Amino acid sequence: QVHLVESGGGLVQPGGSLTLSCEASRSIFSPNTMAWYRQPPGKQRELVASITYGGSTNYANSVKGRFTISRDNAKNTVYLQMNSLKPEDTAVYLCNKRYDPFGSWGQGTQVTVSS
């Protein structure tokens, strides 16, 4: 069973780039708006970006112009391309439906931005 499986995180220097992937079970992925969230250390989870099934996107102000969300509907996978990373982007990144999130979240993928 797949549910939500995030990958692609790691340690990167400020200004660097990473691409995250999230494979979801089809029942979660289709035909829903999917989103990336993040939870910085000691803080609450926050919405980073979302994408409708048709490809319309929205971003948090803090990442606009630096992050790009995309999806491959044939692969039930959503991506997050992150450029110009900053230390404040350090967090566990998770994906889920934008609305009525699936109750069992994945483990997420850790992104650490540090020199």
Side-chain angles (χ1 to χ4, degrees):
Q1 61 186 37
V2 176
H3 294 312
L4 294 159
V5 181
E6 301 91 348
S7 62
L11 173 63
V12 63
Q13 292 187 341
S17 299
L18 282 174
T19 300
L20 308 183
S21 300
C22 171
E23 182 181 2
S25 298
R26 184 157 187 83
S27 60
I28 298 172
F29 192 85
S30 179
N32 299 303
T33 298
M34 294 296 293
W36 280 98
Y37 302 80
R38 68 186 181 187
Q39 186 160 15
K43 297 184 179 180
Q44 290 192 336
R45 187 166 56 218
E46 60 186 19
L47 177 66
V48 174
S50 64
I51 183 167
T52 67
Y53 195 74
S56 296
T57 59
N58 273 291
Y59 298 91
N61 287 335
S62 58
V63 307
K64 203 171 291 184
R66 300 187 297 121
F67 290 10
T68 302
I69 189 171
S70 61
R71 66 192 290 164
D72 185 332
N73 291 338
K75 295 182 179 180
N76 299 328
T77 300
V78 61
Y79 305 96
L80 187 68
Q81 171 70 43
M82 306 186 294
N83 298 325
S84 303
L85 283 161
K86 304 175 181 180
E88 52 263 43
D89 295 318
T90 295
V92 175
Y93 284 72
L94 309 104
C95 69
N96 209 323
K97 294 192 296 180
R98 171 63 179 92
Y99 305 104
D100 187 26
F102 183 68
S104 182
W105 291 72
Q107 290 193 335
T109 187
Q110 175 70 46
V111 172
T112 302
V113 184
S114 175
S115 54

